[in-house]
Amino acid sequence: MPFSKESDRWQQAIYYFTGYEAPKIDTLFEEWFGNDEIPLMKVQLTKQKSVTYVDVDDLQWRVDNAGRNINNTDFVIPFYKTGDEEESGEEASGDEVTYYKARFTLLGNHNMEDRPTGGVYEGGKNKARYDNDFKKSDNGTEWDTGPHTQYAYGTGRALEALLDNDGGTTGFEWNGISVPPERVVDLASFDRAAGAFDRVARFYVNRQAELEEWHKRVGMQENEAWKGTAAGVFWHLIHMLNKRYEDYADDLRNGALFSVPGDAIRIAGDVFKNAARGLQQDWATWEAKDGNPLSFLSDLLSKITDHVWDHNITKITYKVHTRARGETETTYHATGKFRQDAVDEKGHNYGPLNSLETWKAVGQAAIERWKKSVEENLVDNADFALRTVHDAWSPSVFDLGTIKTSSGDSLSKEYEEDVADKEKKEAEQKEKDQEKKEKEWEEKQEKYQKEQEEKEEKYRKEQEEKEEKYRKEQEEKEKEAKEEAARKEKEWEEKQAEAEAEQERKEKEAEAKQDKYMQEQEAKQEQKEKEQEQKEKEAEAKAAAKEKEQEQKQAEQEAKQEQKEKEQEQKQAEAEKEAEQKQAEQEAKQEQKEKEAEQEQQQAKKEAEADQKEQEAKQEQQEQEQEQKQAEAEKEQEQKEKEAEAKQEEQQKKQEEYQQQQQQFQISQVTQQKAEQERAKKEQEQKEAEQEQKQAEAEKEAEQKQAEQEAKQEQKEAEQEQKQAEAEKEAEQKQAEQEAKQE
């Protein structure tokens, strides 16, 4: 069952004993779950390709296929399933089965070679890594074990700091939770307080011895001649002080070195320390055995595995079917006692084995078992510790004693009778003297008040002058800062204008360079076209002249034409071929020149673009530097203003403290005068005999309560030893059972 705020006494006890405030137990597992919100683990249900038939006596099969740390995961439970998803129980007898495996990945600190054990560690947020089994459905499960470790382990560490560290829990911090100074608990504070009372008791004892020596010197009995004189007053003063210090010493001291209040404080401190030590020992035993909730989960999965083995894995049979052509086929079926539910050792049914909701309930059951161990091992002991300290510190037990003053500590009755006449005669004079003293005191007070007012006025003027001076300095600094900022802004604007002008000039130069280059290219292209045209005309003219010459030679040498016809045709072909070759070379050269011109134009364009980008980058850098300088100037100005305000507040605070000190001094003067007047009139009302009787009763009651406390402490120790013996016996029994199962 979930803990209520009232039942979470372990968390409260640690808070009271150490000042360490752990999270509430109901908040520890809010972010500790895997897929489908299953607490403490991730679960994957996979259908196998074929059915594996298991021999009932083949226990090695179970060792290899079921339990902890097999099949590359933390825990595996194989099982058979029949029918629809929701079918379970014995109704499936005779139905054909399919084979499944439930694979479990435990989230948290554990070593699955054996049952997860305890051990202090600082938890926190974690994220699962992909593996072969979960990578298709798991996007990286995240969980947080921090709150659990703060509760389960931080509380014990706080007790250890209280018991073992100088200064107790001063500066203690564990996994993100620290003990603030106002909640620190230091066991040494009991000894310090007790020692202070011991020193007071020794002071009165030592002073009483000196006063007794004075009393012996002036006489234990009053001299008749001193009555009504200053010597008689002095004798009565010594007599009164000796009696009072004797009463104080008798009421405070407890032996030569200790005091009654000091011993009471030490006893209370010992009770508190012993209770804290008991809590720490209870926690250490529990933490090593049951601190890790994964141990409960692992044990619960083992119990469910036992039930699956006995009522599922070993409760199937098979049938062999003969098909056409002599082929055989084997099918597997459930028997009469077949079950397919997750059931623990107590017979509790969590649901079908193939449902994730079933394993969600199993994880929650493990958490509840862990909480029950907290209640049984820590909460009950915390209740006992709190009650023990409460009883030891109750007013009926924790008694610092009383300090009495015997009657007759003022002027004795006999002295009053002896000096009555003298006091009557001197009363008027004393009254006059008192009035004179009061008047002088009032005059002194008025004079003192006037001096204080003059000092305050002087101080106020000095403060005003300092404030005015500081204000002017601040105005001057602000003015200088504004001027500096304006100057820097003007410089930045000038640099910006220069940069823009330079950029514009470079752009114009680039454009002019580009235009000039284009014009030159166009002129070159035009010149090349003219040269080409001229060459073509010359070639045509040469061809025409050559043709004319040929005709003339043909007319002259018609006789030779037939003989040289083949030769002429060959030469003509070679000439035509040479002309075509020259024409092709000329065209290739023209094309190459055009490509070179185009490349030069593109290169010039790229250089212009690069210059443009470089200029833009420089401009952007200058803007960033200017913004940074402006921000630094503003930050510096803001810091100076804060420092000025802090100084102003400090001056104001000092002035207020000075005024409070003056007021307290005046009040103390008036209070002291009234106390002296009242102390002279006050008389002791209780008698010494009655006081001694009360003292005897108080001592008797204290001895009786001390005896009761010792008896309770012995009973607690006996119960603790019995619990420890039972826990050790239970651990040995479980170890023996585990060894027997393993064998």
Side-chain angles (χ1 to χ4, degrees):
M1 65 177 181
F3 278 43
S4 64
K5 291 184 178 179
E6 291 73 20
S7 65
D8 195 4
R9 298 290 283 169
W10 173 256
Q11 189 266 356
Q12 295 173 6
I14 299 304
Y15 177 81
Y16 295 143
F17 274 81
T18 68
Y20 176 85
E21 188 173 10
K24 298 293 184 181
I25 196 169
D26 282 338
T27 66
L28 305 184
F29 302 94
E30 291 179 346
E31 297 183 21
W32 191 353
F33 51 82
N35 58 302
D36 298 271
E37 297 184 350
I38 299 175
L40 308 180
M41 58 181 170
K42 295 190 300 180
V43 181
Q44 184 188 39
L45 302 173
T46 56
K47 182 179 179 181
Q48 305 302 301
K49 296 180 180 180
S50 61
V51 177
T52 299
Y53 180 78
V54 182
D55 187 354
V56 177
D57 298 325
D58 188 6
L59 298 180
Q60 185 61 37
W61 183 93
R62 177 177 174 178
V63 173
D64 296 337
N65 293 274
R68 301 184 181 97
N69 198 28
I70 60 172
N71 297 159
N72 297 322
T73 191
D74 295 333
F75 209 101
V76 175
I77 299 179
F79 62 93
Y80 300 121
K81 174 188 168 297
T82 66
D84 299 330
E85 294 294 330
E86 299 300 326
E87 286 188 16
S88 62
E90 300 178 0
E91 294 78 13
S93 176
D95 291 349
E96 188 173 354
V97 300
T98 51
Y99 184 42
Y100 281 77
K101 283 187 178 181
R103 299 168 59 84
F104 306 87
T105 300
L106 275 60
L107 308 178
N109 186 45
H110 66 282
N111 180 0
M112 285 304 298
E113 291 182 1
D114 200 351
R115 176 182 184 269
T117 58
V120 176
Y121 75 100
E122 290 189 2
K125 293 185 178 180
N126 295 274
K127 185 173 183 179
R129 294 178 295 179
Y130 294 143
D131 55 46
N132 293 332
D133 299 303
F134 286 93
K135 65 182 181 181
K136 294 181 180 179
S137 59
D138 184 15
N139 293 324
T141 303
E142 294 184 358
W143 70 91
D144 189 4
T145 60
H148 166 263
T149 57
Q150 290 168 345
Y151 182 98
Y153 306 129
T155 52
R157 285 290 185 254
L159 288 171
E160 291 174 351
L162 171 69
L163 295 167
D164 302 332
N165 293 350
D166 293 335
T169 58
T170 302
F172 176 79
E173 187 274 341
W174 203 86
N175 203 7
I177 297 179
S178 59
V179 177
E182 65 271 16
R183 295 210 304 263
V184 165
V185 181
D186 185 5
L187 295 177
S189 61
F190 290 98
D191 292 333
R192 289 196 294 268
F197 278 103
D198 295 342
R199 290 192 295 274
V200 171
R202 288 197 295 273
F203 170 82
Y204 282 118
V205 171
N206 296 334
R207 297 292 83 74
Q208 192 273 331
E210 295 176 2
L211 288 171
E212 187 175 6
E213 180 65 24
W214 290 8
H215 200 191
K216 290 179 180 179
R217 291 183 180 184
V218 300
M220 300 301 292
Q221 300 295 329
E222 183 182 6
N223 193 320
E224 292 292 331
W226 290 354
K227 290 183 179 181
T229 65
V233 174
F234 180 77
W235 184 90
H236 281 288
L237 176 62
I238 297 299
H239 178 76
M240 177 187 66
L241 291 175
N242 180 48
K243 187 60 178 175
R244 284 188 176 180
Y245 273 62
E246 184 180 7
D247 292 338
Y248 295 158
D250 291 341
D251 292 338
L252 282 173
R253 66 183 169 185
N254 187 13
L257 300 176
F258 303 102
S259 63
V260 173
D263 288 346
I265 293 174
R266 273 185 282 268
I267 291 172
D270 290 340
V271 172
F272 183 88
K273 182 177 180 180
N274 291 335
R277 178 68 67 185
L279 290 178
Q280 191 275 331
Q281 292 172 352
D282 295 337
W283 169 82
T285 302
W286 170 84
E287 169 270 321
K289 179 183 176 184
D290 296 330
N292 191 347
L294 295 182
S295 62
F296 293 89
L297 176 60
S298 178
D299 290 346
L300 185 53
L301 292 175
S302 295
K303 300 301 181 184
I304 294 174
T305 303
D306 293 340
H307 185 272
V308 170
W309 173 260
D310 294 334
H311 300 88
N312 182 282
I313 295 295
T314 60
K315 292 299 182 287
I316 68 167
T317 185
Y318 63 91
K319 297 178 182 179
V320 179
H321 307 276
T322 303
R323 306 299 184 190
R325 300 179 182 177
E327 297 177 354
T328 62
E329 180 182 7
T330 303
T331 58
Y332 301 88
H333 303 266
T335 63
K337 296 183 179 180
F338 179 85
R339 296 291 303 270
Q340 47 190 337
D341 292 332
V343 181
D344 62 16
E345 76 281 9
K346 299 178 181 179
H348 180 78
N349 191 336
Y350 296 95
L353 291 167
N354 63 310
S355 173
L356 292 177
E357 288 298 319
T358 298
W359 303 111
K360 185 176 181 181
V362 170
Q364 188 60 43
I367 291 176
E368 296 306 321
R369 292 189 179 191
W370 179 85
K371 288 183 178 180
K372 186 177 180 182
S373 77
V374 173
E375 185 174 7
E376 293 175 349
N377 296 280
L378 299 182
V379 172
D380 294 341
N381 296 334
D383 274 333
F384 180 84
L386 289 172
R387 287 196 305 271
T388 300
V389 174
H390 177 269
D391 294 340
W393 289 12
S394 64
S396 61
V397 176
F398 183 61
D399 186 9
L400 294 177
T402 57
I403 300 175
K404 64 181 184 297
T405 301
S406 301
S407 60
D409 285 342
S410 60
L411 298 177
S412 65
K413 195 171 183 179
E414 292 80 5
Y415 175 78
E416 291 177 356
E417 293 175 355
D418 291 341
V419 299
D421 294 337
K422 187 176 181 179
E423 287 181 347
K424 186 176 179 181
K425 292 178 181 179
E426 294 176 351
E428 295 180 359
Q429 184 63 35
K430 287 183 179 180
E431 186 176 355
K432 290 180 181 179
D433 293 342
Q434 183 65 25
E435 291 177 354
K436 183 179 179 182
K437 288 181 180 179
E438 291 178 355
K439 186 176 180 181
E440 290 177 352
W441 185 81
E442 290 176 355
E443 290 176 355
K444 288 181 180 179
Q445 286 295 106
E446 291 177 357
K447 182 179 179 181
Y448 177 77
Q449 185 68 25
K450 187 176 180 181
E451 290 176 353
Q452 291 300 114
E453 291 176 354
E454 290 176 354
K455 289 181 180 179
E456 291 176 1
E457 180 66 20
K458 182 179 179 182
Y459 179 77
R460 185 182 62 78
K461 289 182 179 180
E462 290 177 353
Q463 289 298 113
E464 290 177 352
E465 291 176 358
K466 289 181 181 179
E467 290 174 1
E468 181 65 21
K469 182 179 178 182
Y470 178 77
R471 185 183 61 79
K472 289 181 179 180
E473 290 177 354
Q474 288 299 113
E475 291 178 353
E476 185 67 24
K477 289 180 180 179
E478 290 176 0
K479 184 179 178 181
E480 292 176 357
K482 289 180 180 178
E483 291 177 354
E484 179 68 15
R487 184 183 63 79
K488 290 182 178 180
E489 185 176 359
K490 186 177 179 181
E491 290 179 356
W492 181 81
E493 290 176 352
E494 291 176 354
K495 290 181 179 179
Q496 184 69 13
E498 291 176 359
E500 290 176 355
E502 180 68 16
Q503 179 66 20
E504 185 177 357
R505 184 183 64 78
K506 288 185 177 181
E507 289 177 357
K508 289 181 179 180
E509 289 179 355
E511 290 176 357
K513 186 177 180 181
Q514 181 69 13
D515 294 340
K516 182 179 179 182
Y517 177 79
M518 293 298 295
Q519 291 175 1
E520 291 176 353
Q521 289 298 114
E522 290 176 355
K524 289 180 180 180
Q525 183 66 20
E526 185 177 356
Q527 180 65 26
K528 288 179 180 179
E529 290 177 354
K530 289 181 178 180
E531 291 176 355
Q532 182 64 24
E533 185 178 357
Q534 182 65 28
K535 288 180 179 179
E536 290 177 355
K537 289 181 178 181
E538 290 177 355
E540 291 176 356
K542 287 181 179 180
K546 192 173 183 179
E547 185 178 356
K548 187 177 181 180
E549 183 179 356
Q550 185 65 30
E551 291 176 354
Q552 184 177 358
K553 286 181 179 180
Q554 187 175 0
E556 293 175 353
Q557 299 178 358
E558 288 181 354
K560 297 179 181 180
Q561 183 64 31
E562 293 178 355
Q563 296 178 357
K564 297 181 179 180
E565 185 176 357
K566 292 181 180 180
E567 181 181 354
Q568 185 62 33
E569 289 176 355
Q570 183 178 1
K571 289 181 179 180
Q572 181 65 27
E574 291 176 354
E576 290 176 355
K577 184 177 181 180
E578 183 179 359
E580 289 175 357
Q581 185 177 1
K582 289 181 179 179
Q583 180 67 21
E585 291 175 355
Q586 186 66 26
E587 290 176 354
K589 289 180 180 179
Q590 180 64 24
E591 184 178 356
Q592 180 65 25
K593 289 180 179 179
E594 290 177 355
K595 287 182 179 180
E596 290 176 355
E598 184 178 356
Q599 290 177 355
E600 290 177 357
Q601 184 176 358
Q602 291 178 354
Q603 182 65 24
K605 186 176 181 181
K606 288 181 180 179
E607 291 176 355
E609 290 177 353
D611 292 339
Q612 176 70 15
K613 289 182 179 179
E614 182 179 1
Q615 188 63 29
E616 289 176 354
K618 288 182 180 180
Q619 183 176 353
E620 182 177 358
Q621 184 178 2
Q622 290 174 354
E623 291 176 356
Q624 291 177 353
E625 291 175 354
Q626 181 63 24
E627 290 176 356
Q628 184 177 1
K629 290 180 180 178
Q630 183 69 19
E632 291 175 353
E634 292 175 355
K635 186 176 181 181
E636 183 178 358
Q637 181 64 24
E638 182 179 355
Q639 182 67 23
K640 290 181 179 178
E641 291 176 356
K642 288 182 179 179
E643 292 176 355
E645 291 176 357
K647 289 182 180 178
Q648 180 67 20
E649 290 177 357
E650 184 178 359
Q651 293 293 338
Q652 184 69 22
K653 186 177 180 181
K654 287 182 179 178
Q655 185 174 358
E656 291 175 355
E657 290 177 353
Y658 179 76
Q659 292 176 354
Q660 290 177 358
Q661 290 174 359
Q662 296 303 322
Q663 291 175 358
Q664 291 176 357
F665 177 76
Q666 295 173 6
I667 293 171
S668 64
Q669 291 293 327
V670 176
T671 305
Q672 184 177 2
Q673 185 177 6
K674 289 182 179 179
E676 290 175 356
Q677 293 174 355
E678 292 175 359
R679 192 181 300 114
K681 298 178 182 179
K682 186 178 179 182
E683 294 181 355
Q684 184 67 30
E685 296 178 354
Q686 295 179 339
K687 295 181 180 180
E688 183 175 358
E690 295 175 355
Q691 195 67 21
E692 291 176 355
Q693 184 179 358
K694 290 182 180 180
Q695 178 67 20
E697 292 175 355
E699 291 177 355
K700 185 176 180 181
E701 184 179 358
E703 291 175 357
Q704 183 178 358
K705 291 178 179 178
Q706 177 67 20
E708 293 176 356
Q709 181 65 30
E710 291 176 354
K712 289 181 180 179
Q713 183 65 24
E714 291 176 358
Q715 182 180 0
K716 167 64 178 176
E717 292 175 356
E719 292 176 354
Q720 184 65 28
E721 291 175 358
Q722 184 177 359
K723 287 184 179 180
Q724 182 68 22
E726 291 175 355
E728 292 176 355
K729 185 177 180 181
E730 183 181 356
E732 292 175 357
Q733 184 177 357
K734 289 186 177 179
Q735 180 66 25
E737 292 175 356
Q738 185 66 27
E739 291 176 355
K741 289 182 180 180
Q742 183 65 27
E743 291 174 359

PDB file of all heavy atoms in Angstrom, residues 169-183:
ATOM      1  N   THR A 169      26.528  17.346  10.631  1.00  0.00           N
ATOM      2  CA  THR A 169      26.072  17.447   9.237  1.00  0.00           C
ATOM      3  C   THR A 169      26.398  18.798   8.621  1.00  0.00           C
ATOM      4  O   THR A 169      25.795  19.171   7.614  1.00  0.00           O
ATOM      5  CB  THR A 169      24.563  17.192   9.159  1.00  0.00           C
ATOM      6  OG1 THR A 169      23.866  18.134   9.995  1.00  0.00           O
ATOM      7  CG2 THR A 169      24.217  15.783   9.600  1.00  0.00           C
ATOM      8  N   THR A 170      27.329  19.532   9.221  1.00  0.00           N
ATOM      9  CA  THR A 170      27.747  20.807   8.636  1.00  0.00           C
ATOM     10  C   THR A 170      28.368  20.558   7.262  1.00  0.00           C
ATOM     11  O   THR A 170      29.298  19.779   7.117  1.00  0.00           O
ATOM     12  CB  THR A 170      28.763  21.509   9.550  1.00  0.00           C
ATOM     13  OG1 THR A 170      28.176  21.715  10.825  1.00  0.00           O
ATOM     14  CG2 THR A 170      29.178  22.844   8.952  1.00  0.00           C
ATOM     15  N   GLY A 171      27.847  21.226   6.240  1.00  0.00           N
ATOM     16  CA  GLY A 171      28.366  21.079   4.883  1.00  0.00           C
ATOM     17  C   GLY A 171      28.033  19.766   4.217  1.00  0.00           C
ATOM     18  O   GLY A 171      28.555  19.477   3.139  1.00  0.00           O
ATOM     19  N   PHE A 172      27.145  18.972   4.808  1.00  0.00           N
ATOM     20  CA  PHE A 172      26.833  17.673   4.213  1.00  0.00           C
ATOM     21  C   PHE A 172      25.981  17.849   2.956  1.00  0.00           C
ATOM     22  O   PHE A 172      25.023  18.620   2.937  1.00  0.00           O
ATOM     23  CB  PHE A 172      26.075  16.797   5.221  1.00  0.00           C
ATOM     24  CG  PHE A 172      25.640  15.469   4.650  1.00  0.00           C
ATOM     25  CD1 PHE A 172      26.548  14.423   4.519  1.00  0.00           C
ATOM     26  CD2 PHE A 172      24.346  15.281   4.202  1.00  0.00           C
ATOM     27  CE1 PHE A 172      26.164  13.205   3.983  1.00  0.00           C
ATOM     28  CE2 PHE A 172      23.951  14.067   3.667  1.00  0.00           C
ATOM     29  CZ  PHE A 172      24.858  13.035   3.557  1.00  0.00           C
ATOM     30  N   GLU A 173      26.339  17.100   1.903  1.00  0.00           N
ATOM     31  CA  GLU A 173      25.601  17.117   0.633  1.00  0.00           C
ATOM     32  C   GLU A 173      25.699  15.734   0.011  1.00  0.00           C
ATOM     33  O   GLU A 173      26.757  15.119   0.011  1.00  0.00           O
ATOM     34  CB  GLU A 173      26.192  18.177  -0.299  1.00  0.00           C
ATOM     35  CG  GLU A 173      25.385  18.398  -1.575  1.00  0.00           C
ATOM     36  CD  GLU A 173      25.752  17.433  -2.709  1.00  0.00           C
ATOM     37  OE1 GLU A 173      26.847  16.841  -2.649  1.00  0.00           O
ATOM     38  OE2 GLU A 173      24.946  17.297  -3.638  1.00  0.00           O
ATOM     39  N   TRP A 174      24.558  15.249  -0.500  1.00  0.00           N
ATOM     40  CA  TRP A 174      24.572  13.931  -1.140  1.00  0.00           C
ATOM     41  C   TRP A 174      23.596  13.910  -2.299  1.00  0.00           C
ATOM     42  O   TRP A 174      22.396  14.136  -2.135  1.00  0.00           O
ATOM     43  CB  TRP A 174      24.210  12.826  -0.136  1.00  0.00           C
ATOM     44  CG  TRP A 174      24.729  11.486  -0.561  1.00  0.00           C
ATOM     45  CD1 TRP A 174      25.955  10.961  -0.323  1.00  0.00           C
ATOM     46  CD2 TRP A 174      24.032  10.497  -1.334  1.00  0.00           C
ATOM     47  NE1 TRP A 174      26.091   9.724  -0.893  1.00  0.00           N
ATOM     48  CE2 TRP A 174      24.912   9.406  -1.520  1.00  0.00           C
ATOM     49  CE3 TRP A 174      22.768  10.437  -1.895  1.00  0.00           C
ATOM     50  CZ2 TRP A 174      24.564   8.273  -2.240  1.00  0.00           C
ATOM     51  CZ3 TRP A 174      22.419   9.296  -2.612  1.00  0.00           C
ATOM     52  CH2 TRP A 174      23.311   8.231  -2.772  1.00  0.00           C
ATOM     53  N   ASN A 175      24.168  13.693  -3.500  1.00  0.00           N
ATOM     54  CA  ASN A 175      23.366  13.503  -4.718  1.00  0.00           C
ATOM     55  C   ASN A 175      22.371  14.641  -4.934  1.00  0.00           C
ATOM     56  O   ASN A 175      21.207  14.428  -5.262  1.00  0.00           O
ATOM     57  CB  ASN A 175      22.624  12.165  -4.661  1.00  0.00           C
ATOM     58  CG  ASN A 175      22.254  11.664  -6.052  1.00  0.00           C
ATOM     59  OD1 ASN A 175      22.661  12.232  -7.062  1.00  0.00           O
ATOM     60  ND2 ASN A 175      21.473  10.612  -6.123  1.00  0.00           N
ATOM     61  N   GLY A 176      22.837  15.876  -4.722  1.00  0.00           N
ATOM     62  CA  GLY A 176      22.015  17.041  -5.029  1.00  0.00           C
ATOM     63  C   GLY A 176      21.222  17.601  -3.873  1.00  0.00           C
ATOM     64  O   GLY A 176      20.594  18.653  -4.015  1.00  0.00           O
ATOM     65  N   ILE A 177      21.201  16.939  -2.701  1.00  0.00           N
ATOM     66  CA  ILE A 177      20.474  17.450  -1.537  1.00  0.00           C
ATOM     67  C   ILE A 177      21.500  17.774  -0.454  1.00  0.00           C
ATOM     68  O   ILE A 177      22.290  16.921  -0.068  1.00  0.00           O
ATOM     69  CB  ILE A 177      19.448  16.427  -1.012  1.00  0.00           C
ATOM     70  CG1 ILE A 177      18.389  16.146  -2.082  1.00  0.00           C
ATOM     71  CG2 ILE A 177      18.783  16.952   0.250  1.00  0.00           C
ATOM     72  CD1 ILE A 177      17.351  15.134  -1.636  1.00  0.00           C
ATOM     73  N   SER A 178      21.486  19.015   0.044  1.00  0.00           N
ATOM     74  CA  SER A 178      22.428  19.443   1.065  1.00  0.00           C
ATOM     75  C   SER A 178      21.675  19.877   2.316  1.00  0.00           C
ATOM     76  O   SER A 178      20.476  20.152   2.276  1.00  0.00           O
ATOM     77  CB  SER A 178      23.289  20.606   0.543  1.00  0.00           C
ATOM     78  OG  SER A 178      22.465  21.698   0.172  1.00  0.00           O
ATOM     79  N   VAL A 179      22.400  19.913   3.427  1.00  0.00           N
ATOM     80  CA  VAL A 179      21.828  20.363   4.697  1.00  0.00           C
ATOM     81  C   VAL A 179      22.164  21.844   4.860  1.00  0.00           C
ATOM     82  O   VAL A 179      23.339  22.194   4.984  1.00  0.00           O
ATOM     83  CB  VAL A 179      22.385  19.548   5.874  1.00  0.00           C
ATOM     84  CG1 VAL A 179      21.836  20.073   7.192  1.00  0.00           C
ATOM     85  CG2 VAL A 179      22.041  18.076   5.712  1.00  0.00           C
ATOM     86  N   PRO A 180      21.173  22.742   4.853  1.00  0.00           N
ATOM     87  CA  PRO A 180      21.466  24.168   5.002  1.00  0.00           C
ATOM     88  C   PRO A 180      21.971  24.479   6.407  1.00  0.00           C
ATOM     89  O   PRO A 180      21.723  23.715   7.346  1.00  0.00           O
ATOM     90  CB  PRO A 180      20.105  24.834   4.729  1.00  0.00           C
ATOM     91  CG  PRO A 180      19.092  23.788   5.026  1.00  0.00           C
ATOM     92  CD  PRO A 180      19.722  22.478   4.684  1.00  0.00           C
ATOM     93  N   PRO A 181      22.677  25.600   6.580  1.00  0.00           N
ATOM     94  CA  PRO A 181      23.271  25.921   7.891  1.00  0.00           C
ATOM     95  C   PRO A 181      22.247  25.975   9.019  1.00  0.00           C
ATOM     96  O   PRO A 181      22.555  25.588  10.150  1.00  0.00           O
ATOM     97  CB  PRO A 181      23.926  27.288   7.646  1.00  0.00           C
ATOM     98  CG  PRO A 181      24.183  27.334   6.178  1.00  0.00           C
ATOM     99  CD  PRO A 181      23.069  26.574   5.547  1.00  0.00           C
ATOM    100  N   GLU A 182      21.014  26.447   8.732  1.00  0.00           N
ATOM    101  CA  GLU A 182      20.039  26.569   9.817  1.00  0.00           C
ATOM    102  C   GLU A 182      19.502  25.224  10.288  1.00  0.00           C
ATOM    103  O   GLU A 182      18.843  25.162  11.336  1.00  0.00           O
ATOM    104  CB  GLU A 182      18.876  27.478   9.381  1.00  0.00           C
ATOM    105  CG  GLU A 182      18.035  26.924   8.241  1.00  0.00           C
ATOM    106  CD  GLU A 182      18.576  27.331   6.879  1.00  0.00           C
ATOM    107  OE1 GLU A 182      19.742  27.766   6.828  1.00  0.00           O
ATOM    108  OE2 GLU A 182      17.841  27.248   5.884  1.00  0.00           O
ATOM    109  N   ARG A 183      19.758  24.136   9.537  1.00  0.00           N
ATOM    110  CA  ARG A 183      19.251  22.821   9.935  1.00  0.00           C
ATOM    111  C   ARG A 183      20.379  21.866  10.346  1.00  0.00           C
ATOM    112  O   ARG A 183      20.134  20.681  10.563  1.00  0.00           O
ATOM    113  CB  ARG A 183      18.453  22.186   8.795  1.00  0.00           C
ATOM    114  CG  ARG A 183      17.189  22.922   8.416  1.00  0.00           C
ATOM    115  CD  ARG A 183      16.130  21.968   7.874  1.00  0.00           C
ATOM    116  NE  ARG A 183      16.577  21.175   6.758  1.00  0.00           N
ATOM    117  CZ  ARG A 183      16.358  21.466   5.472  1.00  0.00           C
ATOM    118  NH1 ARG A 183      15.685  22.557   5.161  1.00  0.00           N
ATOM    119  NH2 ARG A 183      16.795  20.678   4.507  1.00  0.00           N
TER     120      ARG A 183
END
